[in-house]
Amino acid sequence: MNRGEERYGDRLYSHQDPAEADRLGALAQVFDPYSFERLRPLVRPGFRSCDVGAGLGTVAQWLMSNSGAETVVVDTDTRNLGGRGFREIQADITDPTFDPGLFDLVHARFVLMHLRERDAVLRRMANWVRPGGWLVVSDSWELGAPTSPCTAYRETAAMASDLAARTTGSDFNAGRRYPRPMAELGFSQIGFAVDVPVIEGGGALARFWVSTANAARPALVRELGSETVDSALAYLADPDTRDIGIAMVTMWGRRA
């Protein structure tokens, strides 16, 4: 990263924002069931796991409960992770010298998509997996917003993605490349799944999008005007709204 470049979480979607925990909580409520479904066939008793970019720690808690073994969480900010029994490491995973050790399973959800160095970090994560262990990575694919019947929501979501790309280097379509990177890393028994939740007005995914828009509201209003942004938020809050959400693309593979 060049000096002075903003990273995801520095200012935009910072853990210091009082609303960030609620935003991450809404995201976990939607996607945890999908993640657990993908992880369940892979986790075995005694598996030592690492959850990278653990957020609120909900996946790490599940891994620890289902393996009965040590679970390590790695995040740049661990203030929302305390007191759950797993080992916390506060670290920058883009640091090429960072090495948390070896694990039977390494998991990252909606992490690589927010890193400019995503390919290099994925290669390093692969080296944290023991022979015979599993690497599981999930990122997003914008399926719903670009084809939404609501113009204001389409425009606001597109601008939020564009702002994140310009500001922090995020790619909300990073998951579209999967599962090819897993094969390129030499993993076997490669699996792939696409999960697409429904946005229900006022529901968890709608609340996540509202929180995301509010976190970037000054920039969104500057680009689109308050009428468009407010119309998008009203659409997401409307109990009659039913729309397609972002897809979560998950790839997994076993290290030879």
Side-chain angles (χ1 to χ4, degrees), residues 46-49 102-106 128-135:
F47 262 27
R48 184 171 185 257
S49 303
L102 291 175
F103 302 89
D104 299 294
L105 185 143
V106 175
W128 303 343
V129 181
R130 287 192 178 108
W134 295 90
L135 176 62

Side-chain angles (χ1 to χ4, degrees), residues 178-254:
Y178 298 166
R180 181 168 49 84
M182 194 69 73
E184 292 172 348
L185 290 168
F187 280 68
S188 62
Q189 299 181 43
I190 294 170
F192 175 77
V194 181
D195 296 298
V196 187
V198 173
I199 296 178
E200 298 179 346
L205 190 53
R207 295 199 310 273
F208 166 77
W209 277 118
V210 169
S211 297
T212 297
N214 283 332
R217 182 180 176 87
L220 291 174
V221 169
R222 188 164 57 248
E223 297 281 350
L224 297 173
S226 59
E227 182 177 352
T228 296
V229 176
D230 289 342
S231 294
L233 298 184
Y235 174 72
L236 293 168
D238 186 343
D240 292 330
T241 291
R242 295 294 182 274
D243 210 328
I244 298 173
I246 59 170
M248 182 176 78
V249 184
T250 303
M251 62 177 178
W252 60 90
R254 193 171 194 181

Side-chain angles (χ1 to χ4, degrees), residues 38-208:
R38 305 306 163 203
L39 289 165
R40 188 172 289 110
L42 309 180
V43 175
R44 297 289 182 269
F47 262 27
R48 184 171 185 257
S49 303
C50 178
D51 191 27
V52 181
L56 300 183
T58 54
V59 173
Q61 186 75 51
W62 186 93
L63 288 169
M64 186 171 61
S65 297
N66 283 268
S67 69
E70 181 186 46
T71 297
V72 175
V73 296
V74 179
D75 210 314
T76 55
D77 192 319
T78 59
R79 72 187 65 197
N80 293 317
L81 293 170
R84 300 201 186 185
F86 37 66
R87 184 160 71 89
E88 302 170 21
I89 300 177
Q90 185 162 315
D92 180 358
I93 60 172
T94 66
D95 179 355
T97 66
F98 173 66
D99 183 1
L102 291 175
F103 302 89
D104 299 294
L105 185 143
V106 175
H107 171 263
R109 183 179 71 189
F110 300 142
V111 175
L112 296 181
M113 59 182 283
H114 294 303
L115 302 178
R116 293 182 177 89
E117 312 89 341
R118 59 184 66 92
D119 292 335
V121 172
L122 179 61
R123 288 193 296 271
R124 287 200 295 275
M125 286 171 51
N127 290 328
W128 303 343
V129 181
R130 287 192 178 108
W134 295 90
L135 176 62
V136 184
V137 177
S138 301
D139 280 304
S140 75
W141 179 10
E142 283 192 300
L143 287 181
T147 57
S148 172
C150 177
T151 301
Y153 171 55
R154 280 201 315 270
E155 293 178 352
T156 303
M159 184 56 63
S161 297
D162 183 64
L163 285 170
R166 285 187 275 138
T167 304
T168 65
S170 297
D171 180 2
F172 283 78
N173 282 304
R176 180 64 184 85
R177 298 174 53 233
Y178 298 166
R180 181 168 49 84
M182 194 69 73
E184 292 172 348
L185 290 168
F187 280 68
S188 62
Q189 299 181 43
I190 294 170
F192 175 77
V194 181
D195 296 298
V196 187
V198 173
I199 296 178
E200 298 179 346
L205 190 53
R207 295 199 310 273
F208 166 77

Side-chain angles (χ1 to χ4, degrees), residues 11-24:
R11 290 183 300 168
L12 189 63
Y13 313 128
S14 169
H15 282 277
Q16 298 182 35
D17 184 341
E20 181 63 7
D22 289 338
R23 192 178 80 94
L24 293 177

